[in-house]
Amino acid sequence: NAGVTQTPKFRILKIGQSMTLQCAQDMNHNYMYWYRQDPGMGLKLIYYSVGAGITDKGEVPNGYNVSRSTTEDFPLRLELAAPSQTSVYFCASSYRGGPGQGNYGYTFGSGTRLTVV
Amino acid sequence: ILNVEQSPQSLHVQEGDSTNFTCSFPSSNFYALHWYRWETAKSPEALFVMTLNGDEKKKGRISATLNTKEGYSYLYIKGSQPEDSATYLCALDSGGGADGLTFGKGTHLIIQP
């Protein structure tokens, strides 16, 4: 049981380059999330998805795009990398049931450390 | 934007001592409160998810309490061990659908042998 798998672990990008951070989970979780972690700050939500085909913006979505074509995969795309996107990125997934059902913790991936120069 | 505050920011504790730290959140936006343990170079790992006022949860030497009326939760560690050194995050689920958790900045705990 792999949990949440994120790739790559490290990446250096030049300003203006593009890249996709991959995230896959094998727990049949319906909800998936992308967070970024900056020094001295809490985790900030970039985008989230409640199921295949459905995505929505979080607190800090500018400069990013996502898609959720399958339950398992939730890639994060940076189109024109900027130095402000230097950060550590975490993908997470969780199962959320309907009202009155269980509330479960998130499972996080191992993170991607991205530097834009 | 919801404000989740954790204190202290960092804490040094002698091995064998017990310790606790606080998470405060707006009580009017409460659905659930999460605690995570985050070791250096690893990813956050879920400890507890708490939903009811007065809830108390325990996992080994670690326990947590919840007061939703006044908007705070305490995390306790009994008989600290070096392997307890980590950053402890709390996060508020405001129940606004699926828009994720609002995380505090964490309490960085260092256990000194």
Side-chain angles (χ1 to χ4, degrees), chain A residues 7-101:
Chain A
T7 56
K9 289 192 185 303
F10 304 94
R11 184 73 186 267
I12 298 174
L13 279 183
K14 292 185 179 177
I15 293 171
Q17 284 186 319
S18 300
M19 80 164 291
T20 300
L21 282 66
Q22 301 291 345
C23 176
Q25 54 94 7
D26 62 359
M27 298 169 286
N28 205 31
H29 284 171
N30 47 357
Y31 288 33
M32 295 187 76
Y33 309 88
W34 275 105
Y35 284 87
R36 58 178 287 172
Q37 167 80 54
D38 299 308
M41 305 294 288
L43 290 159
K44 300 289 185 187
L45 182 65
I46 305 171
Y47 269 95
Y48 66 96
S49 167
V50 306
I54 307 170
T55 63
D56 210 341
K57 296 177 181 179
E59 186 182 349
V60 290
N62 291 343
Y64 307 94
N65 275 301
V66 293
S67 60
R68 183 107 182 261
S69 55
T70 65
T71 300
E72 293 78 19
D73 299 297
F74 190 41
L76 178 72
R77 178 97 179 143
L78 283 72
E79 290 294 348
L80 291 169
S84 60
Q85 293 177 304
T86 294
S87 189
V88 182
Y89 292 85
F90 286 95
C91 178
S93 71
S94 71
Y95 175 75
R96 288 178 78 113
Q101 296 189 22

Side-chain angles (χ1 to χ4, degrees), chain B residues 45-112:
Chain B
E45 181 185 335
L47 285 172
F48 306 115
V49 178
M50 308 172 78
T51 55
L52 297 175
N53 185 43
D55 240 358
E56 182 169 345
K57 297 218 171 180
K58 191 174 179 182
K59 192 174 186 176
R61 294 179 290 99
I62 303 176
S63 60
T65 60
L66 177 67
N67 184 322
T68 60
K69 293 181 193 270
E70 296 181 41
Y72 65 84
S73 175
Y74 293 132
L75 189 82
Y76 299 89
I77 302 178
K78 187 176 176 182
S80 304
Q81 298 298 308
E83 59 265 29
D84 296 329
S85 295
T87 296
Y88 291 83
L89 298 175
C90 76
L92 175 67
D93 181 345
S94 60
D99 50 356
L101 301 176
T102 301
F103 284 84
K105 294 181 183 178
T107 292
H108 184 51
L109 176 66
I110 298 168
I111 308 300
Q112 296 169 320

